[in-house]
């Protein structure tokens, strides 16, 4: 594969940050441009992705300017390059550690010019992960009577800024662009199966962290997809792609990952019941994603939070590379799987 500079700054470091099993301590701009080069054409289209460390391609490196090249937006761009036989420029405007309001205000709004380019054909975003990581950490540290207000506040904030993001993207992106939101998988699903130090005010019982957090996340994901339908967006169901096996493990006649997928028109209460009660036994930690009954892949890095990836990293130079010919990794890493899910919505022609 050949590389050349794109002329665009990839990373602007604004603060040092730490990553643990909970949340980012600060924020870091990680902005990249990667062009997928098709030698037989000079036609170029653009994919613009806004988000946090997930779309940034955070890889755990001590070098903050070093990120996964084939993060989900680039995987999606590769599919477009194949379909259209065109060069595809993937612009990632991301901030690791950022909460939803920060991504909305300082990326989607302040950096809207990237999606305003006439050749933009996909605008995608993800947010809220850090809102929930921070709320989960605060909840886990409680003693005495459990206070759920922080979890509910995170949900309310996430809902507000997901909708504002959709409205703003609809305002500024070209009419021809496909618009996509990716909902949220559950990092630390197994690790969260522990009791907190606080007790529920109604029952007096200690509260299991996962049993409290899962319905909240389900409510958030329902709202992401419901808002998408309302505002003309596509909803990439990353929760379904990460959190259940790709075969029928419970004998109900449905592939597990399809059975937990969002259904347009279903009520929030019905979706939450299906995810957190009816099909709860089919949910699995993303560190062991079974693609069939005997084969599994690890979708999360060692931090139990960020997606795994293939294809190396890029740094402050950004660049251009040839289109990979091997598509067999689509279900073997977290970023491949997330990009494959979003690519379902890629139009057949530009």
């Amino acid at each position: 594969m050949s590389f050349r500079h794109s002329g665009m700054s990839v990373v602007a470091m604004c603060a040092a940050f730490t990553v643990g099993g909970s949340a980012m301590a600060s924020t870091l701009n990680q902005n990249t441009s990667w062009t997928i080069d098709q030698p037989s054409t000079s036609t170029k289209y653009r994919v613009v992705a806004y988000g946090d460390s997930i779309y940034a391609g955070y890889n755990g490196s001590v070098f903050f300017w070093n990120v996964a090249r084939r993060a989900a937006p680039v995987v999606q761009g590769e599919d477009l390059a194949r379909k259209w036989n065109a060069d595809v420029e993937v612009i990632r405007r991301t901030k690791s550690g950022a909460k939803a309001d920060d991504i909305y205000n300082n990326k989607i709004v302040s950096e809207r010019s990237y999606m305003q380019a006439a050749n933009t054909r996909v605008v995608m975003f993800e947010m809220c992960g850090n809102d929930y990581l921070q709320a989960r950490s605060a909840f886990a540290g409680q003693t005495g009577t459990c206070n759920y207000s922080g979890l509910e506040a995170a949900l309310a904030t996430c809902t507000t800024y997901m909708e504002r993001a959709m409205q703003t993207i609809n305002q500024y992106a070209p009419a021809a662009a496909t618009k996509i939101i990716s909902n949220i998988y559950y990092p630390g699903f197994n690790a969260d199966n522990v009791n907190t130090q606080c007790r529920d005010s109604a029952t007096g019982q200690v509260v299991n962290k996962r049993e409290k957090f899962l319905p909240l996340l389900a409510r958030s994901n329902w709202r992401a997809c419901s808002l998408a339908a309302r505002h003309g967006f596509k909803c990439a169901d990353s929760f379904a792609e990460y959190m259940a096996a790709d075969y029928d493990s419970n004998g109900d006649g449905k592939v597990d990952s399809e059975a937990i997928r969002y259904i347009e028109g279903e009520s929030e209460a019905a979706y939450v019941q299906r995810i957190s009660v009816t099909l709860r036994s089919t949910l699995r930690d993303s560190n062991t994603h079974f693609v069939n009954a005997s084969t599994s892949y690890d979708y999360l890095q060692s931090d139990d939070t960020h997606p795994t990836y293939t294809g190396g990293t890029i740094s402050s130079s950004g660049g251009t590379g040839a289109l990979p010919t091997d598509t067999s990794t689509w279900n073997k890493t977290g970023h491949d799987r997330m990009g494959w899910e979003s690519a379902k919505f890629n139009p057949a022609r530009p």
Side-chain angles (χ1 to χ4, degrees):
M1 181 179 293
S2 62
F3 303 91
R4 64 177 183 269
H5 292 318
S6 67
M8 178 182 181
S9 174
V10 171
V11 178
M13 183 181 297
C14 63
F17 71 102
T18 60
V19 179
S22 55
M24 302 267 183
S26 190
T27 59
L28 176 76
N29 282 303
Q30 292 180 299
N31 302 318
T32 66
S33 172
W34 182 264
T35 298
I36 301 150
D37 187 27
Q38 291 277 52
S40 60
T41 179
S42 60
T43 301
K44 181 187 291 186
Y45 296 103
R46 175 178 285 191
V47 172
V48 181
Y50 298 100
D52 53 32
S53 58
I54 304 303
Y55 274 2
Y58 173 81
N59 68 349
S61 172
V62 296
F63 302 105
F64 297 133
W65 54 88
N66 183 277
V67 294
R69 176 172 59 82
R70 294 186 68 252
V74 171
V75 173
Q76 174 155 357
E78 290 171 355
D79 181 76
L80 286 171
R82 289 187 184 93
K83 282 184 176 179
W84 296 349
N85 190 32
D87 296 342
V88 176
E89 178 188 34
V90 182
I91 303 288
R92 287 182 268 173
R93 305 303 298 182
T94 60
K95 184 184 281 192
S96 288
K99 295 167 71 173
D101 61 337
D102 193 355
I103 293 169
Y104 172 72
N105 288 308
N106 295 310
K107 288 299 176 183
I108 293 173
V109 174
S110 295
E111 300 184 3
R112 59 187 178 272
S113 62
Y114 292 94
M115 67 172 125
Q116 289 179 290
N119 68 337
T120 299
R121 289 297 178 270
V122 173
V123 181
M124 54 199 296
F125 78 96
E126 50 84 22
M127 58 171 53
C128 302
N130 289 296
D131 299 73
Y132 293 130
L133 287 174
Q134 293 181 30
R136 182 177 68 174
S137 294
F139 174 64
Q142 290 183 15
T143 58
T145 301
C146 295
N147 183 343
Y148 305 131
S149 62
L151 296 175
E152 292 296 329
L155 175 62
T157 298
C158 177
T159 304
T160 294
Y161 285 102
M162 285 192 299
E163 182 161 37
R164 289 183 184 178
M166 292 178 193
Q167 291 167 335
T168 298
I169 291 169
N170 278 337
Q171 179 180 357
Y172 291 111
T178 297
K179 296 138 189 171
I180 303 169
I181 181 175
S182 177
N183 70 13
I184 301 175
Y185 57 89
Y186 190 155
F189 184 76
N190 281 352
D192 272 4
N193 188 23
V194 294
N195 289 334
T196 64
Q197 298 297 310
C198 66
R199 294 180 179 270
D200 184 84
S201 60
T203 67
Q205 301 298 309
V206 294
V207 176
N208 180 279
K209 186 162 60 170
R210 184 170 71 186
E211 296 310 307
K212 186 62 183 178
F213 198 68
L214 177 60
L216 182 89
L217 193 62
R219 290 163 66 194
S220 180
N221 283 341
W222 181 89
R223 294 179 188 190
C225 292
S226 179
L227 287 169
R230 187 184 310 170
H231 292 287
F233 274 64
K234 306 298 184 181
C235 187
D237 198 339
S238 294
F239 184 88
E241 297 296 331
Y242 274 55
M243 301 305 302
D246 297 327
Y247 71 98
D248 180 9
S249 71
N250 63 345
D252 66 355
K254 298 179 181 178
V255 171
D256 292 358
S257 55
E258 290 301 314
I260 65 169
R261 187 172 292 279
Y262 169 81
I263 301 171
E264 189 168 344
E266 183 179 29
S267 71
E268 179 175 324
Y271 174 81
V272 173
Q273 177 74 13
R274 180 162 57 90
I275 296 299
S276 60
V277 180
T278 308
L279 297 176
R280 166 66 186 78
S281 64
T282 69
L283 301 185
R284 296 289 184 271
D285 191 283
S286 303
N287 281 293
T288 311
H289 183 93
F290 278 87
V291 296
N292 56 51
S294 60
T295 306
S296 69
Y297 296 108
D298 190 348
Y299 280 7
L300 296 183
Q301 297 177 42
S302 59
D303 64 4
D304 206 21
T305 301
H306 294 92
T308 50
Y309 63 94
T310 60
T313 61
I314 54 176
S315 60
S316 58
S317 61
T320 299
L323 179 67
T325 57
D326 182 9
T327 61
S328 66
T329 61
W330 73 270
N331 65 352
K332 295 180 181 178
T333 75
H335 271 300
D336 274 290
R337 190 63 181 254
M338 186 180 290
W340 175 83
E341 166 66 7
S342 293
K344 291 178 181 178
F345 306 116
N346 284 340
R349 55 182 60 86

